Amino acid sequence: MPIRYFDDKRIFKLDTSGSSYIFKIGRAGYVMGLYYGKRLTDHDVDYLTVREGHDSTVPLSADVDDDWRFSPDTMQAEYPAYGTGDFRISALRIKSGGVGVTDCRYISHRIYEGKSDPCGMPHTRAGADDADTLELVCRDVTGAVITLYYTAYRRHPVIVRRARIANSSALPMTIERAYSASVDFTHPEFSLLHLWGCWARERKPERRRLGHGITTISSSRGASSHYHNPFAALLSPDCGEETGEAYGFSLVYSGNFSIDAEVDAFGLTRIMCGINPDGFSWKLDSGESFDTPEAVLVYSDSGEGGMSRAYHRFWRDHLLAKKWQGEPRPIVVNNWEGTYFDFDADRLVSIAKAAADLGLDMLVVDDGWFGVRNSDRCSLGDWVCNERKLPGGIGRLAERVNALGIKLGLWFEPEMASRDSDLFRAHPDWCIRTNGRGMSIARHQYVLDLSRAEVRDYIFDSLSAILSTANVEYVKWDFNRNLTEYSRADLPDDRQGELFHRYVLGLYELLDRITASFPDVLLEGCASGGGRYDPGMLYYFPQYWTSDDTDPIERLSIQYGTSICYPACTMSCHVSASPNHQTGRQTALKTRADTAMAGIFGYELDTARLTDAERAEIKAQVEEYRASRHIVTDGDLYRLIRPETITHGGVVCAWEYVTEDKSEAIFTYVCERTVIAPVSFVRLRGLDPDRIYTDVQSGVRYRGDTLMNAGLNLSGGRRDGESVRIRFIAD
Ligand code: GLA
């Protein structure tokens, strides 16, 4: 049983495959953290609660005022509340009768096999033999009942947390902050790792030493966004790629979020993650309840690499839709960079024909097939095929493409309406707006208000009309702008703060309906590239368009940053034309393919306009990817050299995937910028030291221990942008 309660000391101990999480019920029902870290045996850790050395500025609890060492302001709190003696950032603030003073004291608990899920939100999955759950019921004097959920996984170093707040009083109350999880650590010396970015430059890792005060990573854009990802980790001072401790915090949520870390004057570090309280409030009438999204906590004592591998395995096994777990994805050609809006049925069919010859699986028809859309200025929302471009509609196009042995995928941007669209002309009130204010515009479009059921019904019906009549086997679901001027005239004043969360709940409800009605359609997420790449979306979209930047050199750091939390089987990566459309950089076709083969592989160019030499090279690439993709998508990732690292071999980047049984591996090395007379040995990781590994292409044989300790010899003057990809098979 991974979760146990020791009645004598009132201690809970949650053991996962590699970590222990321990807390206790203290005097007057305070829920006090004791330890989170490497797995411990069952010895007494009660002594950890004693914290001495405060003065009169630190208040004592009204219920425990006979012990000067016991203060809410210095204890490790499991779910710190606002206004009752803990002056640090709080996870919970509920207003009752206009007053925000809140407390959270233990009442009861229950422990059971398996897990329970939050209402209406994407969540991690667990069967009875995967995990145990603890429900800890707490209460405030106002009648707010706070249930904290902890699920400990047996085969992953993972704890999933969330909270439910219920109003058991007769009067309404308003939640102003309700985080999913909060953890207090007894060390002040952590660094915070997080992923920042912007369009075409997503998920750049940044590590910064936490100082005293509060550090916040957040979004208030209505989406998790390009700018910050709902993920952060605390790193021990000695944490590197494969050594030291890393604590990951990832939120299964796609809207406004906040991850806050605070170092206090007494040497504690608090970290919490949840819905961004800025602009948020939620009214609970008597008898109602509210669920927070889930937070997924990972502990690693093998550095950032160990943390990433733990997240990768966990998302693959317990987040992605069952149907797509371990399922090879189609190798697509997407026409966006090949044609932009300039296509008709014959041009698409010629691309599909060439794709069939290259061995590809699917043509994805991107933006421009509907309404009168020949530029990004119009027609979003008018999801009716433009028969001047595609006579006979999508159904006819699917038939023509299918006859070539190629499947059809289709782009939608369902959450939007163009200013110039029939939808906006008919229902201007369906777009997010505030009466009396102008509507900010981005890419000539507005956001539809998904908090409204009639809007969701319209979107569902529009997509269904296509998906149920044409053989479309894949949908690329795009989202190209953020939410502004959000209010609803038909909601009372005290519910306006609910809108951003209601939008996200509406989106999830819509996606639940679509995935239930079209379970065989593969959904790929996109938000101007990777602008909403988060676990909430991955629950519905087993793969995500990583970035609009397809330059392989730029992709090195984007894919590296993405891999910090997300597995290769979610990372959609395409080979595009050279010079690259975003950067103008020229690169070899081999480098573009070697980089894109680090994820879900495909092409984003006009396959009908290739030279004979390119065609031959692409055929070989597709064959190689088919033969080796399971190593990438189901294997363990080892990041060997971080991108933009200056070594004696130039500015280089290298990574490796190894199957779980260590029988196959793929090593990839890209020289971003060369130096004269380079020497470069790269040591591999994760192999079996005693097995012989053969380089499939050259036939050269190595022992695992030699590859891991002496390394591969990569000297030999690689030029800017040249790459090496080696597949190894063990005897
Ligand atoms: C966004 C996406 C691109 C492409 C275009 C089409 O920018 O990120 O991949 O689909 O929209 O307009």
Side-chain angles (χ1 to χ4, degrees), residues 225-295:
S225 92
H226 294 84
Y227 295 83
H228 290 290
N229 196 265
F231 160 82
L234 291 181
L235 309 178
S236 62
D238 62 340
C239 184
E241 185 57 32
E242 296 295 336
T243 53
E245 291 185 296
Y247 296 86
F249 297 82
S250 169
L251 199 64
V252 186
Y253 192 59
S254 312
N256 294 346
F257 73 91
S258 193
I259 303 179
D260 310 307
E262 178 170 8
V263 180
D264 76 3
F266 305 109
L268 285 185
T269 302
R270 170 169 293 175
I271 184 163
M272 59 177 66
C273 58
I275 293 176
N276 190 344
D278 188 14
F280 167 84
S281 64
W282 193 275
K283 188 175 172 202
L284 279 186
D285 281 326
S286 175
E288 287 183 346
S289 63
F290 176 87
D291 280 353
T292 72
E294 289 185 343

Side-chain angles (χ1 to χ4, degrees), residues 64 612 647:
V64 193
D612 288 348
T647 73

Side-chain angles (χ1 to χ4, degrees), residues 336 366-367 373 411 443 476 478 480 526 528-529 545 548:
W336 177 239
D366 210 280
D367 195 355
R373 189 157 163 103
W411 180 95
R443 214 187 185 209
K476 178 177 172 187
D478 211 338
N480 280 311
C526 177
S528 295
W545 181 228
D548 277 350

Side-chain angles (χ1 to χ4, degrees), residues 457-530:
D457 287 346
Y458 170 81
I459 298 172
F460 179 78
D461 292 345
S462 314
L463 264 67
S464 296
I466 305 272
L467 298 182
S468 55
T469 53
N471 191 25
V472 173
E473 298 180 64
Y474 163 116
V475 163
K476 178 177 172 187
W477 181 297
D478 211 338
F479 172 86
N480 280 311
R481 64 157 290 181
N482 293 141
L483 284 56
T484 54
E485 294 98 19
Y486 202 176
S487 71
R488 261 178 71 171
D490 60 335
L491 280 187
D493 295 357
D494 57 5
R495 292 209 177 266
Q496 297 296 330
E498 299 175 8
L499 282 172
F500 282 98
H501 185 55
R502 282 177 182 249
Y503 181 94
V504 178
L505 292 178
L507 172 62
Y508 291 153
E509 193 236 30
L510 177 60
L511 286 166
D512 278 329
R513 280 165 78 186
I514 291 191
T515 46
S517 303
F518 303 99
D520 296 331
V521 174
L522 172 61
L523 299 182
E524 172 163 300
C526 177
S528 295

